[in-house]
């Protein structure tokens, strides 16, 4: 079945550095990928919708210059957290919609836990 | 106004008993889908069940069933014969529109604890 991977699964970085997180659909093509952020004991909050070959659509309150999203192909979207600060420490999860799939199918990656020291 | 409301921050159930997790939603779109996901401590989101707004029957998937009351805008999840492995966070979510490429809005979640 449809599998979405994320890399890395965990990352620790120093304040002020940038971190890139990859989201790949392994066995299907996805025109749209979504990036969520989840703080401890809270819900998933949508950050942005990533469409292949076009600019990402960011949710209100999400800084597009800080969270750079690139959707270069139908199987890969990347999220770069630029100049990371401790408050960016969170669990980042991507999901992908399956082209031509059932209307309810949206597949989640396993998540990336980011810790900024 | 919140689009998805889960009023139970935490629930406890005895092993082998049934439990209902509540979810109400708010939308003016006639086409929408309702989802339930399980998130264990590992963090992965596990899809449990889906109900489309035009579906006449309540969805069922094994031990999971969705009690869909459209007029009341509620989509409660019923887990029958609870197991220790069911202990996890449960999220109700809604997608407005019919494509899988439309975004999901999540509720705040309910932490379910199954006691032996």
């Amino acid at each position: 079945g449809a599998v979405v991977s994320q890399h890395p699964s965990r990352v620790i970085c120093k304040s002020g550095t940038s971190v890139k997180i990859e989201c790949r659909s392994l066995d299907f093509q996805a025109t749209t990928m979504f990036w969520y952020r989840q703080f401890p004991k809270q819900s998933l909050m949508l950050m942005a919708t990533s469409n292949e070959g076009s600019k990402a659509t960011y949710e209100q309150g999400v800084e597009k210059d800080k969270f750079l999203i690139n959707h270069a192909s139908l199987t890969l979207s990347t999220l770069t957290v630029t100049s990371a600060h401790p408050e960016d420490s969170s669990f980042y999860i991507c999901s992908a919609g399956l082209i031509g799939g059932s209307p309810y199918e949206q597949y989640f990656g396993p998540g990336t836990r980011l810790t900024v020291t | 106004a919140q689009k998805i409301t889960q009023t139970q921050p935490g629930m406890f159930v005895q092993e082998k008993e049934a439990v209902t997790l509540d979810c109400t939603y708010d939308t003016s779109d006639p086409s929408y889908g309702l989802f339930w996901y399980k998130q264990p401590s590992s963090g992965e989101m596990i899809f449990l069940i889906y109900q489309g707004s035009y579906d006449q029957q309540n969805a069922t998937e094994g031990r999971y069933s969705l009690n869909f009351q459209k007029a009341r805008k509620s989509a409660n999840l019923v887990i029958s014969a609870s197991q220790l492995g069911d202990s996890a966070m449960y999220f109700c979510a809604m997608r407005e529109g019919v494509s899988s490429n439309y975004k999901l809005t999540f509720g705040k979640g309910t932490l379910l604890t199954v006691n032996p």
Side-chain angles (χ1 to χ4, degrees), chain B residues 79-96:
Chain B
I79 305 175
S80 62
S82 297
Q83 301 173 356
L84 295 178
D86 293 335
S87 294
M89 196 74 174
Y90 288 80
F91 291 100
C92 178
M94 177 174 67
R95 184 203 63 233
E96 292 169 290

Side-chain angles (χ1 to χ4, degrees), chain A residues 12-16 84-86 89 115-117:
Chain A
I12 301 172
C13 71
K14 291 188 183 297
S15 187
H85 291 284
S89 298
T115 303
V116 185
T117 61

Side-chain angles (χ1 to χ4, degrees), chain A residues 30-32 34 36 38 41-46 49 51 59 91 93 95-99 101-111 113, chain B residues 6 34-35 37 39 41-47 49-51 61 89 91-92 95 97-109 111:
Chain A
T31 52
T32 304
F34 303 90
Y36 297 86
Q38 185 181 32
K41 299 188 188 304
Q42 294 189 24
S43 185
L44 280 73
M45 297 300 296
L46 180 67
T49 303
N51 292 297
E59 295 297 299
F91 192 57
I93 310 175
S95 71
L98 177 61
I99 296 175
S102 300
Y104 57 84
E105 288 177 319
Q106 191 176 106
Y107 298 94
F108 283 84
R113 197 165 299 281
Chain B
Q6 294 181 253
L34 298 158
F35 301 73
Y37 288 90
Q39 187 181 43
S41 57
S42 60
E44 61 183 311
M45 295 292 286
I46 301 169
F47 166 74
I49 198 166
Y50 167 83
Q51 181 85 41
E61 290 285 349
M89 196 74 174
F91 291 100
C92 178
R95 184 203 63 233
V98 296
S99 170
S100 63
N101 292 331
Y102 291 179
K103 64 183 181 182
L104 291 173
T105 302
F106 286 85
K108 292 181 183 246
L111 181 61

Side-chain angles (χ1 to χ4, degrees), chain A residues 7 9 19-20 27 38 43 46 54 56 58-59 76 88 101 107 109 112 115:
Chain A
H7 179 79
S9 58
V19 174
K20 180 184 285 189
D27 50 2
Q38 185 181 32
S43 185
L46 180 67
S54 63
Y58 290 82
E59 295 297 299
L76 174 65
D88 299 323
Y107 298 94
T112 296
T115 303

Side-chain angles (χ1 to χ4, degrees), chain B residues 68-85:
Chain B
F68 182 44
Q69 298 189 41
K70 194 169 183 177
R72 296 179 60 185
K73 294 190 173 179
S74 75
N76 298 340
L77 176 70
V78 180
I79 305 175
S80 62
S82 297
Q83 301 173 356
L84 295 178

